[in-house]
Amino acid sequence: MRTTVGIIGGGPAGLLLARLLHHEGIDCVVLEARTREYVEQRQRAGMLEQGTVDALRACGAADRLSAEGLVHQGIELRFDRERHHIDFPVLTGGRTVTIYAQTEIVKDLVALQLADGPPLLFQAEALTIEKPESATPVVRFLHEGREQTVHCDWVVGCDGFHGIARDTFPAGTGRAYAHDHPYSWLGILADVAPSCDELIYARGAGGFALHSMRSAQVSRLYLQVPNGTDTADWPDDRIWDELAARFAIDADWTLNRGPITAKSVTPMRSYVHEPLRHGRLLLAGDAAHIVPPTGAKGLNLAVSDVRLLAHAFAELHRTGSGQLLDRYSESALARVWQATRFSYDMTAMLHTRPDADPFDDRLQLARLRRITASRHAAAELAANYTGLPLEP
Ligand code: RFL
Ligand code: PHB
């Protein structure tokens, strides 16, 4: 097999990149290690920045998103048993966010790709990327029981945090910056109507809690838990009691309870690999960086990476100039570090550290009160949450 851009990974980054390249008339092949069912069911993100929605719309992948996505005008911050609305359109000059599950984006992109897109192979696990420094890198992969190869002009690693692309960078050509946060999230999906119209980020007495949603009938909620937590120690009643305690306010408000259909624990990590390019191998999305989910930035960063890449490949295709590809790593990393900073700050402001003392407690409250008291501080949160502008 031979292609212009070999894409490893059929998550949101790889699938959207394939779609954007297809629109530009650039051929590519997507190799995905798992089955279609597996990637379509993997429960993850739900909050989309305006720029992410615009990108999906621009490549014709937003029919269902436009019909079913829930447009939110802001978020609620809860602390000290009080609620505070952060109004995004007012603070950002009209920007909003949209709730639409990552599982649904993946389903939409897979359907389009299989209908009229370039090849997307499931159960095709990339094993090695050979000669990334040369003009014709080769990806060796396992598919239908035998080893095969695809010869490429470029290879893009969209293979997530545990993929192989990042590890292909020879020793000494890259550097990782990492921070493990001292807590995890226990996430649940529940068949119950959301108890709110917009997302609630709560700093409760026992730690952080987040109320999100998937539809008018399905709620998605998260609880801060200690690292190493086993879901077996969290029967449904314990989860609902703890959520209710962390969201409690003095005003009249109750948390709707219902059957829990999924439970999982995710550790919280900040990680950035620099640079994002070695020869003709490029990294995008979780393959290159991870943020704690408090700022809802992971999926949105994956999308902004591949938008920059698609733009750069389009320039190369149209004019022969590799200038934007040469700038890709620097442009993407500038945005990645801003999202890393924002996610870290949101996380630190809302979670209770296991070693927290009364000084930390007062400092967190001062940060939250500054946001609710100052339009400038609230506008800074809103600008970051709804997404900073994309600058190639
Ligand atoms: P993915 O989604 O991990 O996809 C990578 C794909 O590569 C495949 N793969 C390989 N394929 C072939 N050969 C190999 N050798 C391969 N190795 C791996 C994998 O099977 C997989 O299909 O990475 P991508 O595309 O970069 O997308 C990133 C996002 O999935 C991730 O950043 C977000 O889910 C993060 N995230 C959130 N982001 C947001 O923007 N908003 C949110 O509200 C949000 N909430 C979340 C989140 C992540 C969470 N977890 C579980 C980490 C909430 C949670 C709980
Ligand atoms: C989600 O809906 O899964 C979600 C929303 C916002 C976040 C994290 C996760 O910050």
Side-chain angles (χ1 to χ4, degrees):
M1 228 195 300
R2 130 125 239 108
T3 189
T4 304
V5 183
I7 300 175
I8 307 178
L15 291 168
L16 180 60
L17 178 60
R19 196 77 216 146
L20 293 169
L21 292 180
H22 181 57
H23 254 239
E24 294 291 344
I26 301 169
D27 69 299
C28 61
V29 172
V30 182
L31 306 175
E32 167 54 50
R34 304 289 195 142
T35 63
R36 177 179 183 178
E37 295 68 34
Y38 183 90
V39 300
E40 290 186 346
Q41 296 308 323
R42 197 164 35 198
Q43 282 304 326
R44 285 194 169 174
M47 200 294 293
L48 311 184
E49 293 173 1
Q50 178 114 39
T52 298
V53 173
D54 294 345
L56 289 163
R57 230 167 239 153
C59 66
D63 288 355
R64 218 155 54 86
L65 163 62
S66 299
E68 297 171 23
L70 307 169
V71 176
H72 282 200
Q73 312 279 328
I75 54 169
E76 186 181 314
L77 290 179
R78 273 191 192 191
F79 57 95
D80 245 3
R81 301 186 66 86
E82 284 183 355
R83 60 205 304 183
H84 304 267
H85 172 63
I86 307 293
D87 188 323
F88 292 157
V90 165
L91 293 163
T92 62
R95 295 171 79 80
T96 58
V97 295
T98 301
I99 296 293
Y100 188 68
Q102 181 168 327
T103 48
E104 305 314 297
I105 295 180
V106 168
K107 281 180 204 164
D108 296 345
L109 288 170
V110 166
L112 283 170
Q113 184 84 359
L114 294 178
D116 72 354
L120 160 60
L121 308 182
F122 289 103
Q123 294 176 282
E125 184 190 358
L127 303 172
T128 53
I129 303 163
E130 289 160 15
K131 300 188 289 171
E133 301 88 357
S134 76
T136 49
V138 177
V139 181
R140 199 169 286 283
F141 65 101
L142 199 58
H143 185 53
E144 294 174 338
R146 62 189 177 89
E147 245 184 69
Q148 307 186 32
T149 52
V150 52
H151 295 254
C152 315
D153 292 345
W154 298 87
V155 176
V156 184
C158 298
D159 49 351
F161 193 66
H162 302 287
I164 60 152
R166 196 177 61 245
D167 293 340
T168 303
F169 279 55
T173 62
R175 173 160 183 202
Y177 299 84
H179 177 81
D180 288 314
H181 300 263
Y183 21 71
S184 300
W185 277 16
L186 169 63
I188 63 161
L189 264 183
D191 283 337
V192 61
S195 314
C196 49
D197 299 325
E198 52 193 29
L199 270 53
I200 308 173
Y201 288 81
R203 176 191 179 273
F208 173 73
L210 169 62
H211 194 323
S212 183
M213 59 200 70
R214 290 293 175 261
S215 68
Q217 300 82 32
V218 177
S219 296
R220 175 88 167 137
L221 297 111
Y222 300 95
L223 270 179
Q224 174 191 343
V225 291
N227 283 338
T229 292
D230 184 349
T231 52
D233 296 330
W234 285 84
D236 296 10
D237 284 346
R238 180 177 179 205
I239 292 176
W240 287 118
D241 289 348
E242 189 60 32
L243 285 167
R246 293 190 193 179
F247 287 121
I249 45 174
D250 290 331
D252 189 24
W253 184 86
T254 42
L255 177 66
N256 301 332
R257 300 181 183 215
I260 295 178
T261 56
K263 277 183 209 176
S264 62
V265 172
T266 315
M268 310 267 279
R269 175 180 290 145
S270 299
Y271 178 98
V272 182
H273 183 276
E274 294 188 1
L276 303 182
R277 175 171 172 186
H278 173 70
R280 288 184 168 234
L281 168 64
L282 300 130
L283 300 178
D286 278 16
H289 41 75
I290 298 279
V291 286
T294 325
K297 288 286 163 249
L299 170 62
N300 293 296
L301 276 183
V303 169
S304 49
D305 284 355
V306 300
R307 287 172 73 196
L308 287 173
L309 269 180
H311 209 62
F313 280 124
E315 187 192 58
L316 180 67
H317 184 66
R318 275 199 294 259
T319 70
S321 162
Q323 248 187 12
L324 285 182
L325 271 176
D326 291 343
R327 278 224 303 275
Y328 165 69
S329 183
E330 199 185 328
S331 319
L333 283 169
R335 196 183 162 84
V336 165
W337 275 111
Q338 287 306 319
T340 301
R341 169 195 61 76
F342 174 66
S343 305
Y344 184 99
D345 290 348
M346 282 284 278
T347 303
M349 180 171 75
L350 291 161
H351 291 68
T352 307
R353 293 180 61 89
D355 60 354
D357 60 20
F359 178 82
D360 297 319
D361 185 64
R362 284 295 184 272
L363 209 54
Q364 278 187 327
L365 281 175
R367 289 196 180 108
L368 285 160
R369 287 187 184 131
R370 178 72 190 150
I371 289 166
T372 54
S374 151
R375 192 189 157 106
H376 278 300
E380 172 64 7
L381 188 156
N384 283 281
Y385 194 97
T386 56
L388 298 176
L390 191 68
E391 284 159 17

